[in-house]
Amino acid sequence: MTKVQHSAQDFASNQTVRWCPGCGDYAVLKSLQKVLAQTGIPREQIVVVSGIGCAGRMPYYLSTYGIHGLHGRAVAIATGLKRTRPELSVWVVTGDGDSLSIGANHLLHGLRRNIDINILCLNNRVYGLTKGQYSPTSVPGQVTPTSPAGVQDQPVDPIRFALTAGASFVARGLDVDAPRLESLLLAAQQHRGAAFIEIWQNCPVFNDGAFEAVRDKQSREQHLRWLADSDFDPTQASIIPAMAMAESVSPEQPIPFGLFRQVTMATAEIKLKTPPTLRDILTMGSTWHV
Ligand code: SF4
Ligand code: MG
């Protein structure tokens, strides 16, 4: 592919951005525009696929191809697209509700198949678009309209979900920590296989302050542990050290961010030179007339 020179501005679309003022999605959009420009991939070779939710609006704001799909189905759509058009750079932008509730099965299988796509899961621990119900990542005790006495369920940890699904690239970033987030986005693009990045994203309307300790610039370095600066090795074959690292999130310890896992694994791709037509498939094996 011939690389092209783009600026971040070239990736801004002509659409009015309709997120609430102060939403963490703005910061993610900005970082994504910057990184897409850095990759040198022509805009017409990039497709951003989303499901439903506030994060699902991302494709409108990028001057690439985009698909605003059905709730939870972004990974399924991206899987079909990448398998039939492997030359494209395919990105999924999803949220915690979209990808870890209704879409959890697609996420699981997209990761284990190691489809060569980049999945950004904007985790604000709440359903924002539908006005603040608790989501699969909401924390115990979180009061919302659907959990008036506080959430009682154990939350899904997106990092451990991705690790147990067998993902070959698993990372955590933070909406407002642009330099580190951008380094992860770039690494995801360069990784061959499914790259999963959980992005902690503040929803100032329905779950404000969920990530305050690390979002606040004054206290960030005290509460955040950037894995690349530690002796943690994300390239280990076993997922156990990465699982233990993901589990170490607690108020007493710095929260791990960065790359939990990056290993080389075969990616699912169509290897036949001449794939069968739909008619071939429908008539293969035993068929009969009634
Ligand atoms: Fe952002 Fe929350 Fe508003 Fe959605 S509801 S746009 S996540 S601030
Ligand atoms: Mg959400």
Side-chain angles (χ1 to χ4, degrees):
M1 183 213 324
T2 318
K3 300 238 167 177
V4 291
Q5 289 268 335
H6 278 313
S7 69
Q9 197 49 37
D10 293 332
F11 281 90
S13 77
N14 61 1
Q15 298 297 298
T16 307
V17 183
R18 293 186 192 278
W19 289 313
C20 309
C23 177
D25 289 0
Y26 287 95
V28 179
L29 171 64
K30 207 167 159 205
S31 286
L32 191 52
Q33 287 168 335
K34 205 165 150 193
V35 168
L36 289 176
Q38 277 171 22
T39 64
I41 302 169
R43 290 180 301 181
E44 63 275 14
Q45 301 249 347
I46 300 172
V47 186
V48 182
V49 185
S50 70
I52 300 299
C54 297
R57 300 194 61 78
M58 197 71 79
Y60 297 116
Y61 308 140
L62 291 159
S63 60
T64 61
Y65 281 102
I67 301 172
H68 190 183
L70 299 174
H71 199 198
R73 312 299 170 207
V75 173
I77 295 166
T79 297
L81 181 62
K82 185 68 189 180
R83 293 195 77 167
T84 49
R85 295 287 308 275
E87 75 281 13
L88 298 176
S89 171
V90 179
W91 296 72
V92 167
V93 180
T94 179
D96 45 307
D98 189 56
S99 66
L100 292 164
S101 191
I102 188 170
N105 60 339
H106 295 302
L107 180 60
L108 169 76
H109 296 294
L111 293 175
R112 83 176 169 84
R113 287 176 176 145
N114 204 27
I115 308 288
D116 189 15
I117 57 178
N118 310 306
I119 304 169
L120 316 185
C121 175
L122 278 62
N123 181 9
N124 52 19
R125 298 182 179 163
V126 78
Y127 280 93
L129 189 74
T130 50
K131 308 268 182 283
Q133 299 87 347
Y134 78 94
S135 85
T137 58
S138 294
V139 295
Q142 193 171 320
V143 175
T144 74
T146 45
S147 58
V151 168
Q152 294 176 16
D153 310 340
Q154 287 305 310
V156 176
D157 173 0
I159 297 292
R160 282 185 284 166
F161 181 97
L163 289 169
T164 41
S168 59
F169 181 113
V170 181
R172 178 186 289 133
L174 177 68
D175 52 2
V176 288
D177 190 358
R180 288 172 177 144
L181 177 60
E182 286 158 20
S183 74
L184 294 175
L185 294 172
L186 203 55
Q189 164 57 32
Q190 287 160 357
H191 177 71
R192 189 162 158 69
F196 177 83
I197 307 180
E198 177 199 14
I199 302 173
W200 283 13
Q201 173 253 319
N202 193 45
C203 169
V205 174
F206 295 111
N207 196 19
D208 195 25
F211 312 115
E212 206 43 44
V214 284
R215 281 185 109 248
D216 178 64
K217 257 196 164 168
Q218 303 301 320
S219 64
R220 181 175 306 155
E221 298 313 314
Q222 191 189 331
H223 293 282
L224 183 151
R225 177 178 182 190
W226 182 242
L227 291 174
D229 293 339
S230 71
D231 58 3
F232 178 75
D233 176 11
T235 65
Q236 299 168 84
S238 166
I239 63 164
I240 291 173
M243 291 289 277
M245 181 58 72
E247 217 166 355
S248 69
V249 171
S250 78
E252 296 79 43
Q253 298 189 50
I255 300 157
F257 277 81
L259 209 43
F260 287 77
R261 181 170 171 82
Q262 184 172 21
V263 294
T264 305
M265 266 170 43
T267 64
E269 54 193 38
I270 295 171
K271 294 211 166 82
L272 297 174
K273 278 215 172 84
T274 326
T277 64
L278 185 58
R279 175 173 292 278
D280 294 337
I281 292 168
L282 290 175
T283 55
M284 80 175 30
S286 304
T287 58
W288 61 91
H289 294 280
V290 288

PDB file of all heavy atoms in Angstrom, residues 95-97 122-128 135, ligand 2:
ATOM      1  N   GLY A  95     -18.774   0.490  23.078  1.00  0.00           N
ATOM      2  CA  GLY A  95     -18.797   0.898  24.485  1.00  0.00           C
ATOM      3  C   GLY A  95     -18.918  -0.327  25.375  1.00  0.00           C
ATOM      4  O   GLY A  95     -18.998  -1.459  24.893  1.00  0.00           O
ATOM      5  N   ASP A  96     -18.955  -0.091  26.678  1.00  0.00           N
ATOM      6  CA  ASP A  96     -19.029  -1.217  27.615  1.00  0.00           C
ATOM      7  C   ASP A  96     -20.374  -1.926  27.524  1.00  0.00           C
ATOM      8  O   ASP A  96     -20.455  -3.153  27.591  1.00  0.00           O
ATOM      9  CB  ASP A  96     -18.771  -0.754  29.059  1.00  0.00           C
ATOM     10  CG  ASP A  96     -19.518   0.520  29.417  1.00  0.00           C
ATOM     11  OD1 ASP A  96     -19.394   1.505  28.678  1.00  0.00           O
ATOM     12  OD2 ASP A  96     -20.228   0.539  30.441  1.00  0.00           O
ATOM     13  N   GLY A  97     -21.454  -1.179  27.308  1.00  0.00           N
ATOM     14  CA  GLY A  97     -22.769  -1.799  27.186  1.00  0.00           C
ATOM     15  C   GLY A  97     -22.874  -2.550  25.875  1.00  0.00           C
ATOM     16  O   GLY A  97     -23.290  -3.710  25.829  1.00  0.00           O
ATOM     17  N   LEU A 122     -14.770   1.860  24.629  1.00  0.00           N
ATOM     18  CA  LEU A 122     -14.828   3.051  25.475  1.00  0.00           C
ATOM     19  C   LEU A 122     -15.682   2.727  26.694  1.00  0.00           C
ATOM     20  O   LEU A 122     -16.902   2.606  26.604  1.00  0.00           O
ATOM     21  CB  LEU A 122     -15.409   4.237  24.681  1.00  0.00           C
ATOM     22  CG  LEU A 122     -14.396   4.975  23.789  1.00  0.00           C
ATOM     23  CD1 LEU A 122     -13.821   4.079  22.720  1.00  0.00           C
ATOM     24  CD2 LEU A 122     -15.016   6.205  23.161  1.00  0.00           C
ATOM     25  N   ASN A 123     -14.999   2.568  27.814  1.00  0.00           N
ATOM     26  CA  ASN A 123     -15.661   2.085  29.022  1.00  0.00           C
ATOM     27  C   ASN A 123     -15.934   3.255  29.970  1.00  0.00           C
ATOM     28  O   ASN A 123     -15.009   3.807  30.565  1.00  0.00           O
ATOM     29  CB  ASN A 123     -14.757   1.033  29.697  1.00  0.00           C
ATOM     30  CG  ASN A 123     -15.383   0.459  30.947  1.00  0.00           C
ATOM     31  OD1 ASN A 123     -16.559   0.700  31.238  1.00  0.00           O
ATOM     32  ND2 ASN A 123     -14.610  -0.309  31.694  1.00  0.00           N
ATOM     33  N   ASN A 124     -17.212   3.622  30.083  1.00  0.00           N
ATOM     34  CA  ASN A 124     -17.588   4.661  31.059  1.00  0.00           C
ATOM     35  C   ASN A 124     -18.429   4.071  32.192  1.00  0.00           C
ATOM     36  O   ASN A 124     -18.966   4.795  33.013  1.00  0.00           O
ATOM     37  CB  ASN A 124     -18.326   5.827  30.381  1.00  0.00           C
ATOM     38  CG  ASN A 124     -19.494   5.348  29.541  1.00  0.00           C
ATOM     39  OD1 ASN A 124     -19.971   4.229  29.727  1.00  0.00           O
ATOM     40  ND2 ASN A 124     -19.961   6.175  28.628  1.00  0.00           N
ATOM     41  N   ARG A 125     -18.540   2.752  32.188  1.00  0.00           N
ATOM     42  CA  ARG A 125     -19.233   2.009  33.256  1.00  0.00           C
ATOM     43  C   ARG A 125     -20.703   2.411  33.408  1.00  0.00           C
ATOM     44  O   ARG A 125     -21.248   2.382  34.518  1.00  0.00           O
ATOM     45  CB  ARG A 125     -18.500   2.179  34.592  1.00  0.00           C
ATOM     46  CG  ARG A 125     -17.092   1.621  34.571  1.00  0.00           C
ATOM     47  CD  ARG A 125     -16.425   1.765  35.914  1.00  0.00           C
ATOM     48  NE  ARG A 125     -15.080   1.211  35.891  1.00  0.00           N
ATOM     49  CZ  ARG A 125     -14.155   1.472  36.804  1.00  0.00           C
ATOM     50  NH1 ARG A 125     -14.438   2.254  37.818  1.00  0.00           N
ATOM     51  NH2 ARG A 125     -12.960   0.940  36.715  1.00  0.00           N
ATOM     52  N   VAL A 126     -21.326   2.751  32.294  1.00  0.00           N
ATOM     53  CA  VAL A 126     -22.737   3.135  32.355  1.00  0.00           C
ATOM     54  C   VAL A 126     -23.297   3.115  30.926  1.00  0.00           C
ATOM     55  O   VAL A 126     -22.537   3.178  29.962  1.00  0.00           O
ATOM     56  CB  VAL A 126     -22.872   4.553  32.983  1.00  0.00           C
ATOM     57  CG1 VAL A 126     -22.540   5.668  31.983  1.00  0.00           C
ATOM     58  CG2 VAL A 126     -24.219   4.768  33.627  1.00  0.00           C
ATOM     59  N   TYR A 127     -24.627   2.974  30.806  1.00  0.00           N
ATOM     60  CA  TYR A 127     -25.268   3.168  29.499  1.00  0.00           C
ATOM     61  C   TYR A 127     -25.547   4.665  29.372  1.00  0.00           C
ATOM     62  O   TYR A 127     -26.464   5.180  30.023  1.00  0.00           O
ATOM     63  CB  TYR A 127     -26.581   2.388  29.428  1.00  0.00           C
ATOM     64  CG  TYR A 127     -26.432   0.904  29.139  1.00  0.00           C
ATOM     65  CD1 TYR A 127     -26.352  -0.016  30.167  1.00  0.00           C
ATOM     66  CD2 TYR A 127     -26.377   0.432  27.827  1.00  0.00           C
ATOM     67  CE1 TYR A 127     -26.222  -1.376  29.911  1.00  0.00           C
ATOM     68  CE2 TYR A 127     -26.245  -0.922  27.565  1.00  0.00           C
ATOM     69  CZ  TYR A 127     -26.171  -1.819  28.607  1.00  0.00           C
ATOM     70  OH  TYR A 127     -26.042  -3.154  28.338  1.00  0.00           O
ATOM     71  N   GLY A 128     -24.766   5.350  28.563  1.00  0.00           N
ATOM     72  CA  GLY A 128     -24.925   6.802  28.456  1.00  0.00           C
ATOM     73  C   GLY A 128     -26.077   7.192  27.541  1.00  0.00           C
ATOM     74  O   GLY A 128     -26.956   7.974  27.924  1.00  0.00           O
ATOM     75  N   SER A 135     -24.403  -0.709  33.624  1.00  0.00           N
ATOM     76  CA  SER A 135     -23.898  -1.513  32.506  1.00  0.00           C
ATOM     77  C   SER A 135     -23.123  -2.715  33.058  1.00  0.00           C
ATOM     78  O   SER A 135     -22.948  -2.829  34.273  1.00  0.00           O
ATOM     79  CB  SER A 135     -22.974  -0.651  31.638  1.00  0.00           C
ATOM     80  OG  SER A 135     -21.655  -0.668  32.163  1.00  0.00           O
TER      81      SER A 135
HETATM   82 MG    MG B   2     -21.072   2.884  28.365  1.00  0.00          MG
END
